[in-house]
């Protein structure tokens, strides 16, 4: 059922169906660790997905059953100078911010270790579905470095300052259940069911209005860093803007005619 896309060395990208894309980080020998080449290919894959006007949802997972992503590639980083280290961090930051602000929802399917850069990647997605064996953590203190792909900032926003601080300074892992209790993960599934659950959810999202989802992402992403007055002004503005879309005409007409909407 799924269609082949461009061929990559470190990732797989499949157009599954109905605008749902599945990106698999495919370096199982190193538990899908992220080096510069992998970040580059992920960035190209995002461009490929978003150039399809029919794209609706991007799912991201790691290959195999052991890891989502076990972090930035430590072998790669061990050769970097301070300036190169900063450039490597900026490379990851740029890609992860791009995912966070992408027009379509991005969902992480965390099928094992999500450590360091892997936890940071998952946190840059709109939300996370996890397998029961998933483990989340920011173990950079064990390597004598800080997080570099946004972990200190996104973890703090997601779980609060005190818990983020505990996780960052101890480097301890959180189980999937703990991550769900702390608001990092939306749902936990037995590992064999994770992909199907992700695809089911993606199909549900794919049937909704793409333009309304795009504006909603902007509201949540931009609004969280604004004061409430300005955030509410932005919501009225984008609500008004949504009235200019064909989907608004179709969505309201379908309701009034008691039928299912057919969005653009
Ligand atoms: N980078 C490079 N290689 C890695 C890796 C990483 N982040 N994580 C695992 N690997 C490699 C291992 O070196 C090993 O390779 P070999 O078979 O050639 O020895 C292979 O993957 C399998 O790993 P293990 O044998 O270690 O597997 P395990 O089951 O015993 O342990 C683990 C699994 C707990 C995830 C362990 O591999 C581990 O601790 N990995 C490192 C996790 C980490 O520190 N991540 C943070 C990186 S720093 C970062 O991400 C900075 C940032 O914010 C940008």
């Amino acid at each position: 059922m799924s269609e082949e896309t461009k061929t990559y060395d470190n990732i797989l990208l499949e157009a599954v169906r109905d605008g749902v894309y599945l990106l698999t980080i495919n370096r199982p020998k190193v538990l899908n660790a992220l080096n510069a080449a992998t970040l580059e290919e992920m960035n190209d894959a995002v461009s490929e997905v978003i150039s399809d006007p029919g794209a609706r949802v991007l799912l991201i997972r790691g290959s195999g059953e052991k890891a989502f992503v076990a972090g930035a590639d430590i072998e790669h980083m061990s050769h970097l100078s301070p300036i190169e280290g900063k450039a490597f961090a900026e490379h990851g930051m740029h890609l992860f911010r791009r995912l966070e602000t992408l027009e379509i929802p991005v969902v992480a399917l965390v099928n094992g270790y999500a450590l360091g850069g892997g936890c940071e990647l998952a946190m840059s997605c709109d939300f996370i579905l996890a397998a029961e064996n998933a483990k989340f953590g920011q173990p950079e203190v064990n390597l004598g470095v800080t997080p570099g792909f946004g972990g200190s900032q996104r973890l703090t926003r997601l779980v609060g300052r005190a818990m983020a601080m505990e996780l960052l300074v101890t480097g301890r892992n959180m189980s999937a259940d703990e991550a769900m209790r702390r608001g990092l993960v939306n749902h936990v599934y037995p590992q064999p069911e994770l992909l199907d659950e992700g695809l089911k959810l993606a199909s549900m999202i794919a049937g909704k209005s793409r333009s309304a989802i795009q504006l909603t992402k902007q509201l949540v992403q931009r609004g969280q860093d604004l004061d409430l007055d300005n955030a509410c002004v932005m919501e009225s503005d984008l609500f008004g803007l949504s009235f200019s879309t064909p989907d608004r005409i179709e969505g309201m007409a379908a309701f009034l005619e008691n039928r299912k909407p057919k969005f653009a």
Side-chain angles (χ1 to χ4, degrees), residues 123 138 147 151-172 174 182-184:
M123 290 191 293
Q138 296 289 156
S152 61
Q153 304 311 307
R154 291 195 178 91
L155 190 63
T156 306
R157 283 164 170 74
L158 286 164
V159 304
R161 193 189 59 158
M163 186 46 60
M165 196 62 97
E166 178 191 316
L167 292 163
L168 290 163
V169 302
T170 63
R172 79 167 170 89
M174 264 193 296
R182 302 208 180 283
L184 197 69

Side-chain angles (χ1 to χ4, degrees), residues 16-58:
V16 185
R17 59 169 181 253
D18 303 330
V20 176
Y21 282 81
L22 177 64
L23 190 163
T24 305
I25 297 153
N26 191 28
R27 304 185 74 214
K29 287 196 178 126
V30 288
L31 304 185
N32 306 317
L34 301 174
N35 58 6
T38 308
L39 294 176
E40 199 61 54
E41 288 192 352
M42 289 175 72
N43 201 38
D44 289 349
V46 171
S47 299
E48 189 179 342
V49 169
I50 219 62
S51 69
D52 171 5
R56 290 291 181 273
V57 181
L58 174 60

Side-chain angles (χ1 to χ4, degrees), residues 29-31 33 66 70-75 77 113 115-117 120 138-140 143 146-149:
K29 287 196 178 126
V30 288
L31 304 185
K66 196 167 166 184
D73 189 316
I74 298 169
E75 207 283 321
M77 288 188 296
Y113 289 109
L115 302 180
E120 291 166 315
Q138 296 289 156
E140 287 86 348
L143 300 169
T146 68
F149 295 163

Side-chain angles (χ1 to χ4, degrees), residues 14-239:
E14 295 161 68
V16 185
R17 59 169 181 253
D18 303 330
V20 176
Y21 282 81
L22 177 64
L23 190 163
T24 305
I25 297 153
N26 191 28
R27 304 185 74 214
K29 287 196 178 126
V30 288
L31 304 185
N32 306 317
L34 301 174
N35 58 6
T38 308
L39 294 176
E40 199 61 54
E41 288 192 352
M42 289 175 72
N43 201 38
D44 289 349
V46 171
S47 299
E48 189 179 342
V49 169
I50 219 62
S51 69
D52 171 5
R56 290 291 181 273
V57 181
L58 174 60
L59 301 172
I60 301 184
R61 66 169 178 174
S63 65
E65 295 186 348
K66 196 167 166 184
F68 172 69
V69 166
D73 189 316
I74 298 169
E75 207 283 321
H76 172 75
M77 288 188 296
S78 69
H79 305 289
L80 301 183
S81 69
I83 295 291
E84 289 166 339
K86 181 171 171 3
F88 183 55
E90 286 168 353
H91 196 173
M93 290 286 190
H94 173 264
L95 169 65
F96 290 8
R97 188 67 184 141
R98 190 174 178 210
L99 291 172
E100 203 163 48
T101 56
L102 205 68
E103 293 98 301
I104 60 172
V106 183
V107 180
L109 304 181
V110 175
N111 48 319
Y113 289 109
L115 302 180
C119 189
E120 291 166 315
L121 171 61
M123 290 191 293
S124 305
C125 297
D126 291 301
F127 48 89
I128 301 172
L129 308 185
E132 282 167 347
N133 68 327
K135 295 242 182 308
F136 296 83
Q138 296 289 156
E140 287 86 348
V141 284
N142 298 325
L143 300 169
V145 293
T146 68
F149 295 163
S152 61
Q153 304 311 307
R154 291 195 178 91
L155 190 63
T156 306
R157 283 164 170 74
L158 286 164
V159 304
R161 193 189 59 158
M163 186 46 60
M165 196 62 97
E166 178 191 316
L167 292 163
L168 290 163
V169 302
T170 63
R172 79 167 170 89
N173 290 348
M174 264 193 296
S175 67
D177 282 341
E178 183 182 354
M180 187 159 79
R181 268 202 322 278
R182 302 208 180 283
L184 197 69
V185 160
N186 284 30
H187 301 283
V188 178
Y189 300 108
Q191 179 154 55
E193 294 168 24
L194 181 65
L195 179 59
D196 279 351
E197 292 293 342
L199 289 170
K200 236 190 276 174
L201 181 90
S203 290
M204 193 193 292
I205 297 170
K208 311 293 177 197
S209 158
R210 188 185 199 265
S211 54
I213 286 176
Q214 181 179 356
L215 294 173
T216 302
K217 261 195 82 160
Q218 280 184 38
L219 284 171
V220 175
Q221 287 297 344
R222 287 165 51 195
Q224 69 184 346
D225 295 322
L226 294 176
D227 63 84
L228 192 59
D229 282 340
N230 279 308
C232 288
V233 168
M234 181 175 68
E235 185 169 304
S236 324
D237 288 347
L238 295 198
F239 180 69

